[in-house]
Amino acid sequence: MIKVEPGKTRLGWIGTGVMGRSMASHLLRAGYAVSVYNRSSAKTKDLVDLGATLCKSPRDVAAQSDVVFTMVGFPADVEEVILGEAGVLNGLGPGSVLVDMTTSRPSLAQQIYTSAASKGVAALDAPVSGGDIGAREARLSIMVGGDRFVFDALEPLWTLMGKTFVYQGPAGCGQHTKMVNQILIASSMVGLCESLLYATRSGLNPETVLSSVSTGAAGSWSLSNLAPRIFKEDYSPGFFVNHFVKDLGIVLEEASKMKIDLPGVVLAKRLYDELKEIGHGDKGTQALWLVVNRKAE
Amino acid sequence: MIKVEPGKTRLGWIGTGVMGRSMASHLLRAGYAVSVYNRSSAKTKDLVDLGATLCKSPRDVAAQSDVVFTMVGFPADVEEVILGEAGVLNGLGPGSVLVDMTTSRPSLAQQIYTSAASKGVAALDAPVSGGDIGAREARLSIMVGGDRFVFDALEPLWTLMGKTFVYQGPAGCGQHTKMVNQILIASSMVGLCESLLYATRSGLNPETVLSSVSTGAAGSWSLSNLAPRIFKEDYSPGFFVNHFVKDLGIVLEEASKMKIDLPGVVLAKRLYDELKEIGHGDKGTQALWLVVNRKAE
């Protein structure tokens, strides 16, 4: 298996949006050579300034890399940059590693694993949580599916990007774990918005209420971090509504395959779909308050 | 207003169940004289051993107290021990204070406030969160409605029972705040059980998943404290299903008065009703897993 070392191992990074840019910068600063590609090349500028090499396609990145990371938007983007004609798998050689960090379909992760294996390439699915701040501060939680020895070999890289990195099982298990994360957030956001609705309509001061309820059994990350943003009417994205709607769609597809009902997710998806329909897809998930409050008017 | 002092102020305590017993014991240990009453008098033994005086009715407790606390089960019990023939309000004299710490109807708290005022008695609604452990360790969160100067006068007593005590507004606002707390827990429990269902059915190890998701944006008190109990099939009550079903019923009554929809609470109530119907009313709220898992089989 590959032995990862700064100055020796050549890395590639596809997808330099808000998350990917921060993550790749940690690799560059640690002394790794990094080739980069992004659909809109303007977003690679910060990394090129840090010493990254700009390439013309995911395949070109792969051709000069030992380990390639992808961090793009939707499953269709993952398919294109990995399995497409100009995709990573047409550039990587045997013994190299592909790590998809996009939140995407577990079944696609399995398909990529199989395609990669047929070319002697190891593939991991490694979605993250922690948002833009977690990416910037290298405090992400990285949830990994694939072969454990590949996960172990990449430990020097995980530590540069994340605070928590856990091997979850075979290909697809990283994505499944991320879905578990999103299921928890879905109901948590519904509860948060309903509790604020009740609080305001019953004449309470929501900020004073927060001081009573946030540190006990009702406490959550959402309550402590997103309720204050709602109080300030700050709906800027920590995590995009559009991406969360995508994730909840994947959860429900997978649940349907497993023949399980997740009525809490169905409810959250319905409310988030409505939020997107009224034009708030590019706001943060805390904007759910706009739908819950509006429906009550 | 009354000035609260150990050795001088006479306290009363009605309702010495798991919570009330611990809370009253802190008052006794701080040097206050405490008269007690409980429907089943056996449950007062620990307190009598600590020096409490056992009385024959809530009215008798009130007749020899300056400040009386009630901590009973359901709104009907609150009505009986406070407004009934042998209730507290028939024993308290002008200038005294009544504090109902039961989780109960906001409208009943307002009614008690008015009845008490007509006798020159101050009344506060002061439900708590933190469960049996919080009561034992004097780390409760106490949410108070009524008059602020009464809340302020009782500060020496709040500090003996709670870590957080916050004045939330006029009569009923303590109860409304507790309802906000329960709304948050309701959806949190649905999310927790659905996430465990997804995790187990997708072939993940739920305990390994927990290590990836519990410290980030999906984190919550429920996830960190109740998921491990579910893993151990420990459904012993930290908080009773029966009481939670009562609380969610109150939330939905109040929501109906305010003409707001709380579909997340409706869903949680439906699942908890089912849990109660299949005979798990005296288990802890984490037993919701039994319903969610069963429905998927």
Side-chain angles (χ1 to χ4, degrees):
Chain A
M1 192 57 216
I2 190 169
K3 190 169 179 320
V4 173
E5 267 178 72
K8 194 173 154 207
T9 310
R10 301 166 307 157
L11 306 181
W13 197 283
I14 318 285
T16 55
V18 176
M19 299 287 293
R21 206 178 319 169
S22 293
M23 295 159 79
S25 74
H26 299 312
L27 305 177
L28 279 162
R29 289 202 178 90
Y32 286 95
V34 182
S35 304
V36 299
Y37 170 81
N38 194 66
R39 195 157 45 190
S40 132
S41 65
K43 289 187 182 171
T44 61
K45 185 171 180 311
D46 293 357
L47 295 173
V48 170
D49 289 348
L50 282 172
T53 306
L54 180 59
C55 295
K56 288 193 173 145
S57 72
R59 184 179 51 202
D60 290 351
V61 167
Q64 51 191 289
S65 300
D66 304 306
V67 181
V68 173
F69 296 89
T70 51
M71 184 65 161
V72 294
F74 292 81
D77 303 317
V78 173
E79 284 198 68
E80 188 190 331
V81 302
I82 293 178
L83 303 173
E85 179 59 30
V88 172
L89 282 186
N90 280 336
L92 279 178
S96 57
V97 181
L98 162 63
V99 183
D100 181 28
M101 304 191 83
T102 318
T103 296
S104 169
R105 281 196 193 90
S107 56
L108 178 56
Q110 289 157 355
Q111 185 191 336
I112 289 168
Y113 177 89
T114 307
S115 297
S118 73
K119 301 185 178 197
V121 173
L124 299 175
D125 50 301
V128 303
S129 75
D132 51 343
I133 298 170
R136 206 157 54 231
E137 298 179 351
R139 293 168 59 85
L140 293 169
S141 172
I142 310 174
M143 311 159 206
V144 186
D147 294 329
R148 187 189 284 273
F149 72 96
V150 183
F151 167 79
D152 290 339
L154 265 50
E155 181 164 335
L157 303 179
W158 307 133
T159 58
L160 293 174
M161 297 185 280
K163 192 181 135 199
T164 307
F165 41 95
V166 180
Y167 176 74
Q168 292 289 348
C173 284
Q175 297 297 350
H176 276 312
T177 303
K178 180 67 186 281
M179 294 305 138
V180 170
N181 191 77
Q182 305 306 66
I183 292 168
L184 289 162
I185 292 176
S187 281
S188 184
M189 290 308 300
V190 170
L192 170 58
C193 292
E194 291 192 354
S195 73
L196 290 182
L197 181 64
Y198 183 102
T200 53
R201 298 307 162 98
S202 62
L204 297 169
N205 177 325
E207 300 194 48
T208 311
V209 170
L210 198 62
S211 66
S212 275
V213 305
S214 62
T215 56
S220 68
W221 187 95
S222 304
L223 184 64
S224 297
N225 291 277
L226 298 183
R229 293 195 201 177
I230 295 173
F231 297 157
K232 288 186 285 186
E233 298 182 57
D234 169 9
Y235 303 116
S236 61
F239 186 62
F240 284 113
V241 167
N242 279 336
H243 288 167
F244 197 51
V245 166
K246 166 205 55 164
D247 295 354
L248 297 184
I250 295 172
V251 167
L252 293 179
E253 280 171 29
E254 295 293 323
S256 163
K257 287 186 209 166
M258 298 179 215
K259 301 194 193 311
I260 56 173
D261 287 330
L262 302 176
V265 176
V266 169
L267 169 61
K269 174 82 161 46
R270 180 159 58 72
L271 295 170
Y272 272 105
D273 280 342
E274 199 172 325
L275 181 61
K276 193 177 158 177
E277 277 157 25
I278 61 175
H280 297 305
D282 58 355
K283 292 205 166 64
T285 49
Q286 73 275 20
L288 188 65
W289 167 247
L290 298 174
V291 162
V292 170
N293 189 40
R294 189 180 84 139
K295 288 170 88 79
E297 272 165 5
Chain B
M1 191 59 216
I2 191 169
K3 189 168 178 320
V4 173
E5 267 178 72
K8 193 173 157 209
T9 310
R10 301 165 306 156
L11 306 181
W13 197 282
I14 318 285
T16 55
V18 177
M19 298 287 294
R21 206 179 316 168
S22 293
M23 294 159 79
S25 74
H26 298 311
L27 305 177
L28 279 162
R29 289 202 178 90
Y32 287 94
V34 182
S35 303
V36 298
Y37 169 82
N38 194 66
R39 197 157 46 189
S40 134
S41 65
K43 289 187 181 168
T44 61
K45 187 173 179 306
D46 292 358
L47 294 173
V48 170
D49 289 349
L50 282 172
T53 305
L54 181 59
C55 295
K56 288 191 174 146
S57 71
R59 184 177 53 202
D60 290 352
V61 168
Q64 51 190 288
S65 299
D66 304 305
V67 182
V68 173
F69 295 88
T70 51
M71 184 65 161
V72 294
F74 291 81
D77 303 318
V78 173
E79 283 197 70
E80 188 189 329
V81 302
I82 293 178
L83 303 172
E85 179 59 31
V88 172
L89 282 186
N90 280 337
L92 279 179
S96 58
V97 181
L98 162 63
V99 184
D100 182 27
M101 303 190 84
T102 319
T103 296
S104 170
R105 281 195 192 91
S107 56
L108 179 56
Q110 290 157 353
Q111 185 191 338
I112 289 169
Y113 177 88
T114 307
S115 297
S118 72
K119 300 184 176 197
V121 173
L124 300 175
D125 49 301
V128 303
S129 74
D132 52 341
I133 298 169
R136 206 157 55 232
E137 298 179 350
R139 293 169 59 84
L140 294 170
S141 171
I142 310 174
M143 312 159 207
V144 187
D147 294 329
R148 187 188 282 273
F149 71 96
V150 183
F151 167 80
D152 289 339
L154 264 51
E155 179 164 335
L157 303 177
W158 306 133
T159 59
L160 293 173
M161 297 184 281
K163 193 181 133 200
T164 307
F165 41 95
V166 180
Y167 177 74
Q168 292 289 349
C173 284
Q175 296 298 349
H176 277 311
T177 303
K178 180 67 186 279
M179 294 306 138
V180 170
N181 192 77
Q182 305 306 66
I183 292 168
L184 288 162
I185 292 176
S187 281
S188 183
M189 291 308 301
V190 171
L192 170 58
C193 293
E194 291 192 355
S195 73
L196 290 182
L197 181 63
Y198 183 101
T200 53
R201 298 306 162 97
S202 61
L204 297 169
N205 178 326
E207 301 193 47
T208 310
V209 170
L210 199 62
S211 66
S212 276
V213 305
S214 63
T215 55
S220 68
W221 188 95
S222 304
L223 184 65
S224 297
N225 291 276
L226 299 182
R229 293 196 201 177
I230 295 173
F231 297 156
K232 288 186 285 186
E233 298 184 56
D234 169 9
Y235 303 116
S236 61
F239 186 62
F240 284 114
V241 167
N242 279 336
H243 287 167
F244 196 51
V245 166
K246 167 205 56 163
D247 296 354
L248 296 185
I250 295 172
V251 167
L252 293 179
E253 280 171 29
E254 295 293 323
S256 163
K257 286 186 211 167
M258 298 179 215
K259 302 195 192 310
I260 56 173
D261 287 330
L262 302 176
V265 176
V266 170
L267 169 61
K269 173 83 162 43
R270 180 159 59 74
L271 295 170
Y272 272 105
D273 280 341
E274 198 172 326
L275 182 61
K276 192 177 161 179
E277 277 158 26
I278 61 175
H280 297 306
D282 58 356
K283 293 207 165 63
T285 49
Q286 73 276 21
L288 187 64
W289 169 246
L290 298 173
V291 163
V292 170
N293 190 39
R294 190 179 83 139
K295 288 170 88 79
E297 271 167 4

